[in-house]
Amino acid sequence: MDFDLDETQAELKKLAAGLFGREAGHDRLVDHEKSGRPYDAALWAAVARAGLIGVCLPEEAGGAGLGAVEMAVILREAGARVIPVPLQDGLVAAMVIGRYGSAGQRAMLARLGEGEIVLTSAPLEPGRDLGAPPGTTARRTGEGGPGGAETGDAAGDGGGWVLSGSKTMVSYAAESAAIVVPASTPQGVGLFLVRPEAATLRPVPAATGEPVSALILDGTPAEPLGEPDGRAFATLRLLTLVALTASASGVLAGALELTTQYIKTRKQFDRALAEFQAVTMQIADVYIAGRALDVAVWSGAWRVDQGLDDAELDLAVAAHTVTDAALAALYTCQHLHGGIGLDITYPLHRYFAWGKHRAHLLGGVEARLDTMGALV
């Protein structure tokens, strides 16, 4: 594959970098953190106006109908500036709904593209790997189901299913109009749309400051999203891996840029830190980890768009890099900053929290090694 972005992707990268650079400066992030709001609504609206939410939405919803590579471009830029908006899981949910949803379910995507609603997904379960069949179960109860205009009748196009089980680390669950939930059925693994008010949400602390919840399902009504034949679940899993690893790639790039500027200007013994050989070797290791992660992310995202079977292996390598080399690189960035790297009035702590959180979501290094071993 060609690792260079094409013209459309390059323009998208420029647009995202420019918007996030202008609208998500350090002072604004500090103000948001003090506000206690779940996300920066004004920034979310700005992202929508710029068309960055709509890029991956189907054309019928006013989007551009682009794919996983373009999603990765946007999320990498968002990660590089740790922007506090529900973009990552929202884009994943939207792409799955756009591909497998009914007309009524797809109708709500236009409102997402306008920044009027939030969507999220819940692929994780306690004690289970991201790619494992879910322990959450779905059973049919009859025809009909709960409808509602709030999500474009997203839960009223077939109904008749209830879910039981639990999901963990669901970002922006309470703020979402609908949650994409994988569940096992006698026919196979399927995806379902659940309204947060129909389930039990238990807040879970997250170092990133994002609102995160455990989702408890106990006979919770749900709307089927396509057929429970495993295909939609496979798409959700791959897109989730693209989103998490692309975001983590941006986080590492942002931390590297911040650290590079710091060691150029911070002096010891009348010399800039960047002039010391030991420092240059360490910052080079950070750069190498970032480049390795980028290669795996772009290769995996491209293969997802091409429908190639080896996409999962490339994304498994990317996920392992996030939990291992990239995480170690973030520790190096903190080390090179000295004590200021731990100061929460300095921006670096956000990058470390975001990187660590994504490593946790991916299950940690041992889980990723097990996944790669099973694939090869």
Side-chain angles (χ1 to χ4, degrees):
M1 64 167 290
D2 183 355
F3 285 94
D4 291 328
L5 299 179
D6 64 26
E7 183 177 355
T8 298
Q9 294 159 355
E11 287 297 319
L12 183 61
K13 174 182 171 67
K14 181 179 178 181
L15 173 63
L19 175 66
F20 299 153
R22 291 191 308 272
E23 300 291 338
H26 175 64
D27 290 342
R28 181 163 185 169
L29 295 180
V30 170
D31 290 342
H32 168 71
E33 290 163 357
K34 291 179 179 178
S35 73
R37 296 188 300 268
Y39 61 92
D40 188 329
L43 180 55
W44 180 241
V47 173
R49 287 194 301 271
L52 293 175
I53 303 175
V55 162
C56 300
L57 302 185
E59 294 182 4
E60 65 190 69
L66 299 181
V69 172
E70 290 75 20
M71 178 183 72
V73 168
I74 296 170
L75 293 179
R76 190 179 187 279
E77 296 304 316
R81 291 156 185 85
V82 290
I83 63 168
V85 295
L87 191 60
Q88 177 181 291
D89 295 296
L91 289 182
V92 171
M95 290 182 70
V96 173
I97 294 170
R99 183 174 301 184
Y100 297 101
S102 65
Q105 291 166 341
R106 295 195 304 271
M108 67 176 165
L109 296 180
R111 297 184 61 205
L112 175 69
E114 294 296 324
E116 297 176 4
I117 63 171
V118 172
L119 295 175
T120 192
S121 59
L124 297 177
E125 292 187 354
R128 287 180 180 263
D129 183 72
L130 179 62
T136 298
T137 59
R139 60 182 177 86
R140 191 186 295 273
T141 61
E143 297 301 321
E150 183 64 22
T151 60
D153 288 331
D157 288 327
W161 290 83
V162 292
L163 271 57
S164 297
S166 63
K167 302 290 182 177
T168 188
M169 304 305 288
V170 185
S171 299
Y172 301 99
E175 292 73 27
S176 294
I179 305 170
V180 176
V181 179
S184 296
T185 77
Q187 294 76 37
V189 179
L191 299 184
F192 299 83
L193 289 182
V194 171
R195 293 195 180 189
E197 60 268 25
T200 299
L201 301 178
R202 295 177 181 169
V204 176
T208 60
E210 299 169 282
V212 175
S213 301
L215 179 68
I216 311 301
L217 306 162
D218 186 10
T220 303
E223 163 83 17
L225 187 62
E227 297 296 324
D229 55 12
R231 291 186 303 156
F233 174 61
T235 299
L236 174 67
R237 185 179 69 250
L238 291 175
L239 290 177
T240 299
L241 286 171
V242 171
L244 284 171
T245 55
S247 176
S249 174
V251 167
L252 183 54
L256 173 60
E257 180 180 359
L258 190 65
T259 307
T260 301
Q261 293 304 315
Y262 180 79
I263 64 175
K264 285 180 179 179
T265 56
R266 178 76 167 103
K267 291 186 176 182
Q268 287 189 357
F269 308 109
D270 295 323
R271 295 173 61 192
L273 289 178
E275 296 180 26
F276 291 91
Q277 185 179 26
V279 172
T280 59
M281 292 175 63
Q282 290 181 75
I283 202 68
D285 287 341
V286 176
Y287 174 80
I288 291 169
R291 293 296 294 157
L293 178 54
D294 278 344
V295 168
V297 170
W298 296 127
S299 181
W302 179 78
R303 281 171 165 76
V304 169
D305 283 341
Q306 300 301 312
L308 300 176
D309 292 338
D310 54 357
E312 190 155 359
L313 180 56
D314 281 11
L315 291 173
V317 172
H320 175 263
T321 305
V322 172
T323 62
D324 188 22
L327 191 57
L330 288 171
Y331 276 104
T332 299
C333 289
Q334 282 206 323
H335 170 71
L336 291 176
H337 274 85
I340 196 173
L342 302 175
D343 189 343
I344 61 172
T345 65
Y346 185 76
L348 186 63
H349 76 280
R350 298 189 189 94
Y351 293 99
F352 186 82
W354 272 51
K356 191 79 170 179
H357 183 60
R358 278 144 185 80
H360 284 156
L361 293 177
L362 289 166
V365 64
E366 296 297 334
R368 303 326 305 169
L369 284 172
D370 287 344
T371 297
M372 287 197 298
L375 289 172
V376 300

